Amino acid sequence: MSVSYDFTGKVALITGSSSGIGADIAELFAKSGANVVVTGRNADRVAKVAKQCTDVSPKQLKALQVVGDVNNEQDLNRLIETTVQTFGKLDILVNNVGFAHMADVDTEDYFQIFQNVLYTNLNSVVYLTHKCVEHLAKTNGNIINISSIASKISSRGSSPYHISKAALDMFTKCMAAELGPKRIRVNSVNPGAVVTNFVINMGLPTEMVEKFNETIGTKYPVGRVGQSPDIANTVAYLASDTAAGFLTGSIVVADGGHLAANVSIDGEKQKLNKN
C-alpha cells in the first residue's frame, strides 16, 4: 500500500531541486498538493523540473522557478523574497543542495576545496535558515536538512564533505531547540549511497559510478543502494505535521542499513579517486 500526503495550501521551497533528490522531493510535494519552488543554477533544468511539478499537481498548480546560486547571498535573498511575494508565505524549507570534492589534506589546494564545500553544504543552509525564520514562524513551518551518513563515519580523501555534514547535523539539533518555541520543527535526513548524478557531476565516468553503486548495493542489508524517491518519501514524512508532528531535532538515517552493517566504502572510493 502506497503512502500519500496532503500538503494542500502549503508552500515548499527546495534548494538544489533542478535534478536528483531535490527534483524528486519537489515533485512529491507538488503531487501532494503543495505550491513548490524549484531552484538551481541551470535555467533549463529548473524549467524542466518545474513543468514536471505542474504536470503532477492535482490542481495543476504552477511551480515557481528561481534560478540562482546558493553561494550568492543576493540570490538567496531573491529566492526568499520571490517565494513570499508569489505565494504570500513559506511553510516548508528543504535545504537539499550539496557538494562534494575528494581531496587529501596534503593536496595543494585542499583549503580552498574545504572552504568551497563548507560554503555550499553548511554556510548556505545557515544563511537561508536565518533569513527564513520570520516567515516559518508565521506558519508554524518546518525545516528539513539533507545531510548524509558521512556525518557519522570517516573515510579517506573526503574530509571536507564529512566535516560539513557533521556540522550540519549539529546545526539541525541546535535549531530544533532554538526554534521550538516558535513552533518550527527542524529535522535532518541522512542518506547512504543513492543513485543520482551527484558523483557523476564530479567528473567521474558514468560506468564507473554505476559499478560503484552495484558493488556497494550488494553490501547493504536491503540488497541495493537508494533511489531518489526513497529520500523524497522520508522528507515528506518529516514535513507532515500529522505524521511527524512530534519529531524535531531528529537525525533520520535512510541508508539501507549502511551504518548497521558497518559497510566500508574506502576501497571503492579510492578506485573512483584514482580516476
Side-chain angles (χ1 to χ4, degrees), residues 165-181:
K165 294 302 185 179
L168 180 57
D169 282 1
M170 181 52 68
F171 182 67
T172 296
K173 293 180 180 180
C174 289
M175 289 302 98
E178 185 173 323
L179 300 180

Side-chain angles (χ1 to χ4, degrees), residues 23 26 46 50 52 58 76 97 116 120 141 173 176 186 195 216 227 256 266:
V46 169
Q52 292 170 344
L76 289 178
V97 71
N116 291 342
T120 299
K173 293 180 180 180
V186 187
V195 178
I216 295 302
Q227 301 286 337
D266 260 345

Side-chain angles (χ1 to χ4, degrees), residues 131-187:
K131 289 292 186 176
C132 285
V133 166
E134 64 173 301
H135 303 295
L136 293 170
K138 295 175 183 177
T139 60
N140 292 340
N142 67 86
I143 301 170
I144 300 102
N145 296 321
I146 306 302
S147 183
S148 169
I149 58 168
S151 69
K152 299 182 175 299
I153 57 177
S154 61
S155 67
R156 292 175 290 173
S158 52
S159 56
Y161 185 71
H162 288 264
I163 292 167
S164 70
K165 294 302 185 179
L168 180 57
D169 282 1
M170 181 52 68
F171 182 67
T172 296
K173 293 180 180 180
C174 289
M175 289 302 98
E178 185 173 323
L179 300 180
K182 297 180 183 293
R183 297 299 176 260
I184 300 172
R185 295 189 298 111
V186 187
N187 293 290

Side-chain angles (χ1 to χ4, degrees), residues 2-5 7 21 24-25 28-29 32 189 227-240 254:
S2 62
V3 178
S4 61
Y5 296 96
F7 292 109
I21 291 172
D24 274 282
I25 293 171
L28 182 53
F29 275 123
S32 303
V189 178
Q227 301 286 337
S228 292
D230 294 320
I231 310 306
N233 279 304
T234 307
V235 170
Y237 167 73
L238 289 173
S240 171

Side-chain angles (χ1 to χ4, degrees), residues 202-225:
M202 293 165 59
L204 298 169
T206 301
E207 60 274 13
M208 184 167 289
V209 175
E210 290 176 348
K211 180 63 177 177
F212 171 86
N213 287 330
E214 180 182 346
T215 302
I216 295 302
T218 62
K219 299 179 181 181
Y220 276 16
V222 298
R224 64 175 177 87
V225 295

